[in-house]
Amino acid sequence: MSKPSPDVYEQGRGMDAHNQAMREIRGRNDESYDPREPTRVWLDEDNTPDGVYDSLTIILNTGGCRWARAGGCTMCGYVAESVDGGTVAHEDLMHQIERCLEHEREHADDISDGEQAGQIKIYTSGSFLDEREVPAQTREAIASEFADRDRIVVESLPDFVDREKIEDFTDRGIETDIAVGLETATDQIRHDCVNKYFEFSEFERAAVEARAAGAGIKAYLLMKPPFLSESEAIEDMKRSIRRCADVEGCHTVSMNPTNVQQYTMVEQLYFDDGYRPPWLWSVAEVLDSTAKEDVIVVSDPVGHGSDRGPHNCGECDDRVQRAIKDFDLRQDPSVFEQVSCECERTWEEVCERERSYSMPLVR
Ligand code: SF4
Ligand SMILES: [Zn+2]
């Protein structure tokens, strides 16, 4: 049987129409980017199985995700930030890493030991373990560069997760996590709402590979993809977190509320009044109700409080966001008892009454 891959899955799986629409929407973007500069780099803090770490978070510009070039996921605007033409040379990727280290040195005051972050997180707007994005030579050079750090997280689609690649890091004694954009544990929602091609069983296989190399798994979930009502999105996240907690080796779930990114299908729906990002109350509800699961659950609502990001009424957004960030570090659901607002009533009504976009077609 052929191995699942973006190329195999593009055709004939009911995704052709999604992909065609996505290519057309993305084609409206005509900006280009410098292959010697990282897409973004910043310092922050993360809760890990070994406690809270300072993290240097790097978004490498690798030419972008193969799947995104076929059309890609309905909410993903990252490909719009990638280099045109597909590949970035080893020297350019290493130059990007050097720029990230410069950023770390310039902001060393923000790090608790005043020197360097204990954890490195590398995202690529695609798959770090896809050798068309990051060649083996570059992967090894990056592993060697960061061999003195305690922890590293690299992002990959599950099909590219092989134990040999991960051993570049684990053999150097770095605690390694593979971050997989699972989005949801429900295959139908992943296919039809997110337009992502793989199955939950692929995620389970990736977890087995990671474990074999001595690494862990972080699942990235998407709170409220398009075409789901608020209550369906909440239920999908609760179910997904519980299924992830049951996968051996999956120690952390990062739940990302959808934000409206440029040149995406979600943005098109948003312009047509067909999409609203999730309420922050929904994020709090999911975190509260899954707090007892045997997995760390964190959420970093990007663009919170704005129309394009997860938001409540405008009055309470900062307070609820602070409670969520507090929960991320302490995993204590009592933080949510300390925030309230009149708009909770509206949110409850939305959860009660909202029905999926354009459904039912016939009563
Ligand atoms: S979400 Fe990930 S897999 Fe989907 S298009 Fe974006 S980078 Fe590619
Ligand atoms: Zn409010």
Side-chain angles (χ1 to χ4, degrees):
M1 219 175 87
S2 62
K3 201 168 174 287
S5 76
D7 311 319
V8 172
Y9 274 71
E10 186 190 350
Q11 298 295 324
R13 298 253 167 178
M15 292 177 157
D16 305 19
H18 263 12
N19 279 337
Q20 200 178 355
M22 293 295 296
R23 277 198 294 266
E24 197 275 314
I25 292 167
R26 296 193 199 289
R28 297 174 201 158
N29 176 33
D30 56 7
E31 285 187 57
S32 58
Y33 294 84
D34 182 350
R36 290 173 67 77
E37 293 296 323
T39 302
R40 266 195 290 283
V41 56
W42 69 92
L43 284 159
D44 57 8
E45 273 188 331
D46 282 293
N47 198 344
T48 78
D50 297 332
V52 176
Y53 267 83
D54 289 303
S55 299
L56 179 67
T57 302
I58 296 169
I59 305 199
L60 269 191
N61 194 350
T62 61
C65 167
R66 240 193 277 184
W67 180 233
R69 266 178 274 145
C73 304
T74 52
M75 74 306 181
C76 177
Y78 294 143
V79 70
E81 297 175 338
S82 298
V83 170
D84 311 329
T87 51
V88 178
H90 169 76
E91 292 70 27
D92 290 340
L93 288 168
M94 294 315 291
H95 189 265
Q96 291 184 36
I97 293 289
E98 190 41 51
R99 296 305 298 254
C100 296
L101 291 168
E102 266 171 47
H103 175 93
E104 185 183 40
R105 284 193 290 275
E106 282 162 15
H107 296 83
D109 291 351
D110 299 341
I111 304 171
S112 49
D113 73 358
E115 284 184 28
Q116 61 177 28
Q119 173 164 272
I120 304 292
K121 295 190 291 179
I122 307 182
Y123 304 96
T124 69
S125 311
S127 291
F128 182 86
L129 298 177
D130 177 356
E131 293 187 345
R132 284 204 235 165
E133 278 188 59
V134 179
Q137 175 196 15
T138 315
R139 186 177 65 238
E140 284 158 23
I142 290 175
S144 162
E145 175 64 53
F146 293 125
D148 61 343
R149 311 291 173 126
D150 294 344
R151 305 189 66 92
I152 194 161
V153 180
V154 295
E155 178 191 32
S156 182
L157 286 165
D159 8 343
F160 304 110
V161 178
D162 297 319
R163 67 194 74 183
E164 292 78 21
K165 296 176 188 168
I166 303 170
E167 282 166 354
D168 283 348
F169 298 94
T170 51
D171 283 354
R172 290 178 162 87
I174 318 172
E175 283 294 330
T176 305
D177 286 324
I178 310 302
V180 177
L182 175 67
E183 317 302 357
T184 163
T186 315
D187 287 337
Q188 191 186 3
I189 294 177
R190 191 177 324 96
H191 291 165
D192 295 348
C193 301
V194 184
N195 197 38
K196 208 166 225 184
Y197 59 88
F198 63 83
E199 314 272 318
F200 188 72
S201 56
E202 266 294 296
F203 172 74
E204 292 175 306
R205 187 204 66 85
V208 169
E209 286 291 307
R211 270 206 333 277
I217 286 268
K218 275 180 91 170
Y220 280 64
L221 299 182
L222 183 72
M223 166 98 205
K224 202 177 175 189
F227 313 118
L228 294 188
S229 67
E230 196 77 19
S231 58
E232 287 170 335
I234 293 170
E235 286 316 308
D236 179 52
M237 281 298 98
K238 291 181 182 174
R239 195 168 53 232
S240 296
I241 289 169
R242 294 190 173 114
R243 283 191 72 190
C244 287
D246 287 343
V247 173
E248 211 179 318
C250 178
H251 55 69
T252 303
V253 170
S254 177
M255 179 176 68
N256 300 308
T258 302
N259 60 78
V260 180
Q261 299 179 2
Q262 278 190 305
Y263 306 110
T264 60
M265 186 180 281
V266 165
E267 186 184 48
Q268 192 68 56
L269 291 165
Y270 167 79
F271 286 148
D272 293 341
D273 297 328
Y275 186 76
R276 183 208 192 275
W279 289 70
L280 289 166
W281 292 128
S282 301
V283 177
E285 158 73 20
V286 173
L287 295 175
D288 188 31
S289 90
T290 56
K292 288 199 178 67
E293 298 297 326
D294 185 20
V295 65
I296 297 172
V297 185
V298 296
S299 185
D300 184 11
V302 172
H304 80 277
S306 73
D307 210 41
R308 281 177 172 257
H311 61 277
N312 288 346
C313 67
E315 293 292 316
C316 62
D317 297 69
D318 285 346
R319 274 184 288 133
V320 181
Q321 173 84 356
R322 267 200 302 281
I324 292 168
K325 300 295 287 179
D326 205 8
F327 178 87
D328 287 351
L329 298 179
R330 298 199 286 128
Q331 301 284 292
D332 176 1
S334 71
V335 295
F336 300 120
E337 288 163 17
Q338 289 148 31
V339 280
S340 62
C341 181
E342 281 177 6
C343 73
E344 262 178 293
R345 288 277 311 279
T346 312
W347 168 71
E348 281 163 12
E349 286 296 316
V350 167
C351 292
E352 177 74 28
R353 292 163 190 265
E354 191 175 67
R355 297 285 175 267
S356 305
Y357 180 68
S358 188
M359 289 192 278
L361 209 51
V362 179
R363 268 179 197 276

